Amino acid sequence: MVLTGELSTHVPGPRRKNLLIAGVVAAAVLAAALWVIVTQFNERPPWAQNVGYEAGFYRGQQIRKMDRTGDKVKEAVAGGCEQWVADGGKKADDAPQSWVRGCLDAVRGLPSNPNEA
């Protein structure tokens, strides 16, 4: 039996040249977007407020748990958190206001809320 006509199921796709051009354009767009993000935030992560808040909150929790007389908590509320931010490390350096807010929230016994930092 002889078949006449074409029975191929091959469907031609895009040309290699077009795929290469699309790949180069996509890489250029991705590189431009990354460049914008890096220049906007430099070495500071975009979520630095949350990181700083959580670090300060952790420090405030430690102070609250270890303070049996309540003197350290009073000191923290009266300006201690602002003074301790210098010892908070890189996380406090990136977002010092958020670190202080987290510390104050913790020593006051408030729940952690880094999204408002």
Side-chain angles (χ1 to χ4, degrees), residues 39-54:
T39 57
Q40 183 177 0
F41 295 108
N42 199 7
E43 291 183 13
R44 181 176 182 260
W47 56 89
Q49 288 85 7
N50 291 2
V51 172
Y53 178 89
E54 287 295 336

Side-chain angles (χ1 to χ4, degrees), residues 48-54 97-99 101-102 113-117:
Q49 288 85 7
N50 291 2
V51 172
Y53 178 89
E54 287 295 336
Q97 297 86 5
S98 295
W99 193 96
R101 193 173 150 275
N113 192 0
N115 293 325
E116 292 182 10

Side-chain angles (χ1 to χ4, degrees), residues 45-116:
W47 56 89
Q49 288 85 7
N50 291 2
V51 172
Y53 178 89
E54 287 295 336
F57 192 86
Y58 180 73
R59 177 76 177 269
Q61 278 184 325
Q62 289 177 325
I63 292 166
R64 187 174 174 83
K65 288 178 183 178
M66 299 300 281
D67 187 21
R68 297 188 188 275
T69 63
D71 294 337
K72 278 289 201 185
V73 170
K74 290 177 188 173
E75 180 185 345
V77 172
C81 285
E82 288 86 358
Q83 294 170 355
W84 300 330
V85 75
D87 300 328
K90 177 85 170 121
K91 293 175 182 176
D93 291 344
D94 285 339
Q97 297 86 5
S98 295
W99 193 96
V100 170
R101 193 173 150 275
C103 177
L104 289 173
D105 283 357
V107 295
R108 291 178 181 151
L110 299 174
S112 173
N113 192 0
N115 293 325
E116 292 182 10

